[in-house]
Amino acid sequence: MADWQIIPRDTRDVLGEGTCWSARDNAVYWVDIMGQALNRLSLSDGAVTRWPMPEPLGWVVERAAGGFIAGFQSGFAELSLDPFAIRPIGDPEVDLPGSRMNDGKADADGRIWCGTKGLPADPPTGAFYRFDPDHRWTKMDGGYEVPNGPAFSPDGRWLYHTDSGLRTVYRFAREESGKIADRQPFITFTEEEGYPDGMTVDSEGFLWIAHWEGSRISRFDPDGQRERAIALPALQVTNICFAGEALDRIFVTSAAEGLPPSEHDGALFEVDCGGIKGLPTYLFPG
């Protein structure tokens, strides 16, 4: 029996990313960055809905007041789906017109951590930002080729962030004030393993990482040692989230970008995680 199944739908993502579990909607949201769309899978009836976007969309984070904060190529914005509306907030990189948002997530305090990617990625002009509930942003780190990931340990002590281009996952010490310090290489992928992409942390503090050009997801213990790997039929595996009422279901995105048409590349997968549970989705309070 396979460890995975494909979620039935008519569309494959060009670059599926940014998975987000919504307990409020009983649904998984994810973006198609280069397909310029936001997708939703309803866990109530299995229906998939797709909203076209006017530009590349890197991530969405649920707002406590409803709707989302979204990371577009043009910067931060408020996004609502019913009725559909986009209200720009601001662009942290107006001096870099080729850059775009690539991955982002809220921490337990409601702050959003997100990365930007230069187009092209060489020289490495990508940066790592913190977006606060008062709608102000702060550049926290720089010099990234392809920033990905952010994920947080259950106790809030550690923040994980990736430079996919360097095949390296970093670990930062996270302070209650919102500052981060002591960036250290935590996990480095080999060429055979591909590139570390999107990540999430489970309730036991283990880090799950998607393998771009590695056709799998892997689970690493809090010391950075691989505990398991689950093979998938898509080459470019991109992002992971736990979902469902018990947070015991895993959904995984992939990308078809640059590949010949296939059933698997660009699909959304549900993966058997053996009963392991994830952490609740944190909301943006502002």
Side-chain angles (χ1 to χ4, degrees), residues 25-284:
D25 295 342
N26 192 30
V28 175
Y29 288 90
W30 76 100
V31 303
D32 182 350
I33 299 178
M34 303 314 295
Q36 297 186 193
L38 175 65
N39 301 300
R40 180 184 66 198
L41 166 67
S42 169
L43 297 194
S44 299
D45 58 11
V48 176
T49 308
R50 185 175 173 94
W51 289 267
M53 294 292 154
E55 60 181 286
L57 172 63
W59 50 265
V60 294
V61 169
E62 272 196 302
R63 298 178 65 201
F68 304 88
I69 298 294
F72 286 97
Q73 180 161 349
S74 59
F76 301 103
E78 295 179 357
L79 170 66
S80 62
L81 300 177
D82 186 19
F84 184 87
I86 298 172
R87 294 172 288 276
I89 296 171
D91 185 355
E93 295 184 344
V94 292
D95 57 327
L96 297 171
S99 72
R100 66 165 173 81
M101 296 281 184
N102 196 59
D103 205 355
K105 195 175 297 179
D107 65 17
D109 298 313
R111 303 181 182 102
I112 296 174
W113 299 81
C114 58
T116 58
K117 174 184 180 296
L119 297 176
D122 184 23
T125 58
F128 191 32
Y129 289 91
R130 190 191 72 216
F131 184 73
D132 293 334
D134 62 4
H135 287 197
R136 291 190 294 181
W137 57 83
T138 304
K139 183 177 178 179
M140 307 301 291
D141 201 14
Y144 287 84
E145 292 184 20
V146 185
N148 259 307
F152 315 94
S153 63
D155 60 7
R157 180 184 177 188
W158 304 111
L159 183 153
Y160 306 100
H161 194 234
T162 292
D163 191 333
S164 298
L166 299 182
R167 303 183 194 268
T168 301
V169 178
Y170 297 101
R171 188 176 72 174
F172 295 82
R174 178 183 171 276
E175 302 175 5
E176 290 186 8
S177 65
K179 295 181 179 180
I180 52 175
D182 192 29
R183 185 180 89 167
Q184 298 291 333
F186 183 59
I187 298 167
T188 301
F189 277 24
T190 65
E191 184 174 352
E192 183 275 332
E193 292 170 321
Y195 300 84
D197 206 312
M199 304 184 290
T200 192
V201 174
D202 64 32
S203 61
E204 299 174 24
F206 285 59
L207 183 64
W208 294 74
I209 305 177
H211 293 239
W212 176 275
E213 293 190 2
S215 301
R216 75 196 84 161
I217 59 174
S218 291
R219 185 184 191 231
F220 295 84
D221 70 21
D223 294 321
Q225 300 301 308
R226 190 191 317 274
E227 183 264 350
R228 74 181 68 181
I230 300 174
L232 293 170
L235 176 64
Q236 298 168 160
V237 184
T238 55
N239 207 282
I240 312 168
C241 77
F242 284 87
E245 183 177 353
L247 292 170
D248 59 354
R249 300 173 68 178
I250 281 186
F251 292 87
V252 179
T253 52
S254 65
E257 186 176 31
L259 300 175
S262 79
E263 176 187 1
H264 303 114
D265 297 301
L268 176 70
F269 298 89
E270 182 171 2
V271 177
D272 182 359
C273 59
I276 295 169
K277 296 185 178 182
L279 298 171
T281 300
Y282 301 122
L283 305 183
F284 181 78

